[in-house]
Amino acid sequence: MKSVLMIGQSNMAGRGFINEVPMICNERIQMLRNGKWQMMTEPINYDRPISGVSLAGSFAAMWCMENKEEQIGLIPCAEGGSSIDDWSIEKILFKNAIIQAKFAMQNSNLIAILWHQGENDSYNGNYKTYYEKLHTIFEALKNELNLDDVPFIIGGLGDYLGKIGFGFNCTEYDLVNKELLRYANDHNHVYLVTAQGLSANPDGIHLNAVSQRKFGVRYYYAYKNKKNVITPLKNEEKLLESCINIPYTQNEMKYLAMMDLTMGKCSYEEFITKMKNL
């Protein structure tokens, strides 16, 4: 099985409202939870009770669409509200990501590291040291996990920042974006994904669910083509429909029926009828 490590702050963990986008139900997408691979469901990265849709779901769905006989596992290690200093190599977030990745790599092949972080460093001149701190983190990840050419996909910050809500103080987001682009251009196997044209929840800082889905497609294209994605893809909606709206397998239909039962959407008798008809 292939696997992907998710690190960064809340927009990697995901805060998109789950009811705003179609569900991704694909038994070939797994997530690491309680020390085992389980069929993916959102929220994938449950760092907070408000966790929701992240970019990782559509990234994995795109991967599955083009790798039809394989499974992919998501390793959620993002932490909402974390600054780049919180990811210093001597601190717990970095150490936890290493532990989780090594555990996952016992029975999977790590193919990418997905990073999105920077809102908490978009003020007070923090962008001035962002490049060097990011480099230290990425080099340590490579050394600790014995990685060579595994790509690091890094996401830009949205241009909705610095205006309203919790994002009001993130006035230096564009300067962080310039550092992210400079870092990607300076290093092999590092690719930047633009957040241009994406939208936020009413809080002014977190990508909404539709934008998270689009962001995941962009991340996948950067991974697949091994190059920066510096403008929105022209066919993002069509790609999303293609990778999400696929016929369900029998196992997936059983999974959905069990969800309906446990969430009170059907009676036990209706559940038994559904299962008999599968």
Side-chain angles (χ1 to χ4, degrees), residues 15-25 40 42 52-55 57-58 201 207-214 240 244-245 248:
R15 298 292 189 261
F17 301 154
I18 290 176
N19 64 336
E20 291 186 350
V21 290
M23 177 183 180
I24 294 177
C25 182
M40 187 207 92
E42 290 173 312
V53 172
S54 73
L55 62 90
S58 51
N201 288 331
L207 289 162
N208 65 30
V210 172
S211 291
Q212 284 282 13
R213 290 280 193 253
K214 292 179 180 179
L240 281 170
I244 296 175
N245 295 332
Y248 291 132

Side-chain angles (χ1 to χ4, degrees), residues 3-8 12-14 30-34 36-38 40-41 43-47 51 54 56 73-79 87 93 96-97 100-101 104 114:
S3 59
V4 173
L5 177 62
M6 304 161 52
I7 52 177
M12 176 56 70
Q30 302 284 301
M31 61 182 182
L32 190 63
R33 186 166 290 179
N34 290 336
K36 62 180 291 186
W37 293 114
Q38 302 183 27
M40 187 207 92
T41 187
I44 301 163
N45 197 122
Y46 198 84
D47 64 316
S51 186
S54 73
L74 302 173
I75 310 166
C77 292
E79 174 69 15
W87 285 93
L93 294 181
N96 178 64
Q100 297 299 321
L114 310 184

Side-chain angles (χ1 to χ4, degrees), residues 12 29 40 56 60 85 109 115 123 240 264 266:
M12 176 56 70
I29 305 176
M40 187 207 92
D85 286 337
N109 179 23
W115 169 269
Y123 64 94
L240 281 170
C266 72

Side-chain angles (χ1 to χ4, degrees), residues 11 21 25 84 111 113 176 207 215 228 235 249-250 264:
N11 273 323
V21 290
C25 182
I84 197 162
I111 61 169
I113 296 177
V176 175
L207 289 162
F215 216 14
N228 297 336
N235 56 344
T249 66
Q250 186 178 53

Side-chain angles (χ1 to χ4, degrees), residues 41-251:
T41 187
E42 290 173 312
I44 301 163
N45 197 122
Y46 198 84
D47 64 316
R48 298 285 191 282
I50 55 173
S51 186
V53 172
S54 73
L55 62 90
S58 51
F59 176 95
M62 287 292 297
W63 186 91
C64 283
M65 187 171 67
E66 299 192 355
N67 297 271
K68 298 185 182 300
E69 303 302 321
E70 297 186 80
Q71 287 185 316
I72 188 168
L74 302 173
I75 310 166
C77 292
E79 174 69 15
S82 56
S83 68
I84 197 162
D85 286 337
D86 292 325
W87 285 93
S88 297
I89 62 176
E90 73 278 4
K91 293 190 176 178
I92 191 64
L93 294 181
F94 180 87
K95 291 179 179 179
N96 178 64
I98 294 296
I99 291 169
Q100 297 299 321
K102 285 184 175 179
F103 185 82
M105 291 168 71
Q106 292 180 21
N107 59 359
S108 72
N109 179 23
L110 188 69
I111 61 169
I113 296 177
L114 310 184
W115 169 269
H116 192 278
Q117 191 281 331
E119 289 89 351
N120 270 39
D121 293 278
S122 296
Y123 64 94
N124 200 34
N126 291 341
Y127 72 91
K128 296 175 183 178
T129 56
Y130 195 92
Y131 183 108
E132 290 77 15
K133 292 175 180 178
L134 188 65
H135 183 64
T136 299
I137 294 166
F138 283 2
E139 286 299 301
L141 281 168
K142 288 166 61 177
N143 292 333
E144 290 279 355
L145 300 176
N146 296 316
L147 304 177
D148 184 15
D149 57 355
V150 169
F152 290 77
I153 315 300
I154 57 179
L157 306 181
D159 55 13
Y160 52 77
L161 293 169
K163 299 177 177 64
I164 62 170
F166 297 141
F168 184 78
N169 292 324
C170 302
T171 55
E172 297 173 350
Y173 71 89
D174 193 47
L175 296 170
V176 175
N177 281 342
K178 289 178 180 177
E179 294 304 295
L180 288 165
L181 179 59
R182 183 164 72 95
Y183 190 82
N185 288 337
D186 284 353
H187 294 86
N188 294 328
H189 314 301
V190 181
Y191 309 106
L192 176 78
V193 180
T194 182
Q196 180 184 339
L198 301 182
S199 302
N201 288 331
D203 60 17
I205 196 167
H206 294 123
L207 289 162
N208 65 30
V210 172
S211 291
Q212 284 282 13
R213 290 280 193 253
K214 292 179 180 179
F215 216 14
V217 173
R218 296 179 191 180
Y219 265 71
Y220 179 75
Y221 263 67
Y223 163 79
K224 174 187 175 183
N225 298 309
K226 296 180 172 57
K227 65 179 183 180
N228 297 336
V229 175
I230 58 174
T231 58
L233 303 175
K234 294 180 180 179
N235 56 344
E236 288 170 349
E237 290 81 3
K238 184 177 180 180
L239 288 168
L240 281 170
E241 183 176 354
S242 298
C243 72
I244 296 175
N245 295 332
I246 56 177
Y248 291 132
T249 66
Q250 186 178 53
N251 284 338

